[in-house]
Amino acid sequence: INLLAMSHFTFVLTTCATPPSAVSSYWSLMAPDGVRAPRAAPHKYPMVSMPEAVDVVLSRVVPLPPLQVPFTTALGLVLAHDVVAASPHPPFAASVMDGYAVRAEDCPGTLMVTGASRAGAPMPTRSGNGSVPGTFAAEGAGVRGELAPGEAAYITTGAPIPAGANAVVALESCDKLQSPFGAAVYVRDPVTLGAHIRPVGHDVAAGEVVVPAGQVVGPHEIGIVAMVGAASVSVHGRPKLAVLSTGDELVDLTLFAKASTSLTSDVAAATAAAAAGGQVYDANRPMLAAAAAAAGAEVMDLGVVADDPTALHAAVCDALRRGADVLVTSGGVSEGDRDYLKEVLLGNHGGGSVGGRGITGVIHFGRVMMKPGKPLTFAEVRHADGGSDAKGSGGDEGGGDGGGGGDGRTMLVFALPGNPVSAAVTFQLTVLPALRRLLGWRDPRLRRVHCVLGGGNLALDLERPEYHRATLHWTCRQGFDAAQRAGLGGAGWGA
């Protein structure tokens, strides 16, 4: 059993109980009274395997163009170019603890304390006339106070090492003294040359790549970028993902969530009215929008669209007009008499152009050998030339790359089944890798691990590989425990 890893739960990929070829051959040959049944005409959209589907999707996706952004806004994005340190870090030799900067050759012994170097306030420089204030300067631009033989300087963690010092002694290894000539310190033990000093470039060398291209920027990467002084970074932008649900049976619960005056009684009344009219709340769109946002996309909510080709055409055009890189739909993509979406994506429906422009598209696959999620469809659409509803070309409709014309910008379309579990599974298996590729991930595919499925045997589909939600636990001593099936019961959530 393979596991396709997710953030909260896992999809368990099982195998079919009987080879698909054996099942199809059996049913194509058997008929009443032993009469050979005629073979069914080939389906318009032959089923592809899930690995093939993912390969097709990723072959059509390229990372979004790089853009320069302030480093503080890059969290969750992927670097398009290396972040390189312009200068070494630390830029000066620095103490790693509080203590005294000394000359190792003077220790052990009693040393006069002639100054102090603190983080942000280096030891002042000295001239022939005595001490004068000084500030940190680049190498060659000035000399800090230099320790003479028999001298020491108090120093704090991170402070520059005074010139002449070559080691630091911890406070607890010294005894403070007061002599007639001023403050002094007694160092009890010999000191190693360079002790407790970070040399220039100890952490990062000048020209070193500190965060490579392709790295997802997290909190630690933000800190590293700030450390080397990179005020802006080159990243791939966030993909714009439009999401909609189709179906006359759906009620949009988000309308109540947006209304400042909505009350529990209002929702209860709406629920009763919806049930009486054979309607249910739309669960897919909020779920898919949340999944897209969690993946790093900028989400555009297109609402619930009726089972009407003109309305669907208008919604697809709206997503294109608003600059969506990806459109995710749920429902209206199976074999029913009101499942218009595939034809709409090809430009065959819509009642003419919308806003003077039509669409044309190509469907790369329209069915996948999996359960749940067989009707999963992946397409590319764009505006048609001259606002006409030109028929798409390529994929299962012939050769080509999605038709020509319009402004040349192509939008990826994932038409997911309306079953909530099917929508969740197919989003995770196909849309998420596509979003990762758009974001610039080097390896956008889902991780796989092998495990044992607990809870007894499963009654599997005879033809299609099944994907079951499961939880997986890891222990250091035993590794993965047996995976446990998860999720709500019933056909709607467990199919």
Side-chain angles (χ1 to χ4, degrees):
I1 293 176
N2 289 312
L3 289 180
L4 305 177
M6 294 181 62
S7 56
H8 299 296
F9 58 88
T10 304
F11 288 123
V12 181
L13 169 60
T14 65
T15 57
C16 55
T18 306
S21 58
V23 175
S24 58
S25 298
Y26 175 81
W27 288 111
S28 64
L29 294 175
M30 294 302 296
D33 301 323
V35 178
R36 183 182 297 270
R39 293 183 180 272
H43 197 281
K44 184 177 183 180
Y45 298 105
M47 278 196 287
V48 299
S49 69
M50 177 50 67
E52 291 172 329
V54 174
D55 287 343
V56 169
V57 169
L58 293 181
S59 74
R60 306 302 302 175
V61 186
V62 295
L64 293 174
L67 64 155
Q68 204 75 13
V69 300
F71 79 99
T72 53
T73 66
L75 184 65
L77 298 177
V78 179
L79 289 177
H81 298 102
D82 296 338
V83 176
V84 179
S87 59
H89 186 84
F92 48 79
S95 175
V96 300
M97 62 174 53
D98 296 337
Y100 291 92
V102 300
R103 291 160 30 102
E105 54 268 33
D106 292 339
C107 304
T110 300
L111 308 174
M112 297 300 299
V113 179
T114 60
S117 180
R118 293 179 171 84
M123 186 171 171
T125 58
R126 294 191 297 191
S127 68
N129 297 325
S131 297
V132 295
T135 58
F136 169 63
E139 185 177 351
V143 180
R144 299 188 189 89
E146 182 171 351
L147 295 184
E151 293 182 343
Y154 175 75
I155 195 166
T156 63
T157 303
I161 302 297
N166 55 24
V168 172
V169 182
L171 286 174
E172 53 269 28
S173 299
C174 304
D175 297 316
K176 291 184 179 181
L177 303 173
Q178 193 63 40
S179 74
F181 306 102
V185 63
Y186 176 69
V187 180
R188 306 186 202 105
D189 303 309
V191 177
T192 303
L193 186 70
H196 308 309
I197 291 177
R198 281 193 309 161
V200 173
H202 178 267
D203 298 329
V204 178
E208 181 180 345
V209 175
V210 292
V211 189
Q215 176 67 45
V216 180
V217 178
H220 297 163
E221 286 74 22
I222 292 287
I224 293 171
V225 169
M227 180 185 71
V228 300
S232 65
V233 292
S234 176
V235 297
H236 298 284
R238 295 188 186 278
K240 296 180 180 179
L241 182 144
V243 59
L244 64 85
S245 288
T246 68
D248 297 335
E249 77 281 10
L250 298 179
V251 177
D252 189 354
L253 185 62
T254 64
L255 298 179
F256 293 95
K258 295 174 183 177
S260 59
T261 59
S262 65
L263 301 173
T264 303
S265 58
D266 296 332
V267 177
T271 302
Q279 294 181 303
V280 295
Y281 286 121
D282 175 24
N284 287 356
R285 198 176 90 260
M287 172 185 67
L288 297 172
E298 178 185 331
V299 178
M300 297 182 289
D301 187 354
L302 301 186
V304 175
V305 181
D307 288 323
D308 173 74
T310 301
L312 290 169
H313 177 91
V316 175
C317 286
D318 187 36
L320 276 168
R321 179 185 60 81
R322 296 171 62 176
D325 301 297
V326 180
L327 170 62
V328 175
T329 70
S330 67
V333 74
S334 190
E335 308 287 341
D337 62 354
R338 295 177 69 85
D339 290 331
Y340 302 111
L341 192 52
K342 282 187 172 76
E343 292 301 307
V344 168
L345 295 176
L346 292 172
N348 296 339
H349 270 301
S353 62
V354 175
R357 312 193 73 180
I359 59 172
T360 184
V362 54
I363 293 178
H364 294 292
F365 57 79
R367 295 192 307 160
V368 179
M369 179 75 74
M370 64 180 299
K371 181 180 180 180
K374 182 174 74 172
L376 170 64
T377 297
F378 172 60
E380 291 179 276
V381 300
R382 66 175 65 178
H383 285 299
D385 272 334
S388 64
D389 284 334
K391 198 171 186 177
S393 61
D396 293 320
E397 300 299 311
D401 63 354
D407 55 15
R409 192 182 64 80
T410 300
M411 179 175 67
L412 307 174
V413 182
F414 294 87
L416 314 184
N419 176 282
V421 171
S422 299
V425 170
T426 51
F427 180 97
Q428 196 69 23
L429 297 180
T430 59
V431 183
L432 179 58
L435 292 177
R436 288 177 172 179
R437 174 63 60 81
L438 287 168
L439 283 162
W441 282 44
R442 288 180 172 175
D443 183 6
R445 297 173 187 269
L446 301 182
R447 298 293 176 262
R448 288 178 176 267
V449 297
H450 294 275
C451 73
V452 175
L453 181 63
N457 295 328
L458 294 176
L460 299 179
D461 188 276
L462 292 176
E463 291 190 283
R464 291 178 287 157
E466 295 189 24
Y467 292 80
H468 292 264
R469 291 157 296 152
T471 56
L472 191 61
H473 300 280
W474 167 272
T475 58
C476 294
R477 293 184 179 181
Q478 298 181 352
F480 286 117
D481 293 336
Q484 301 298 320
R485 292 189 67 192
L488 299 174
W493 285 95

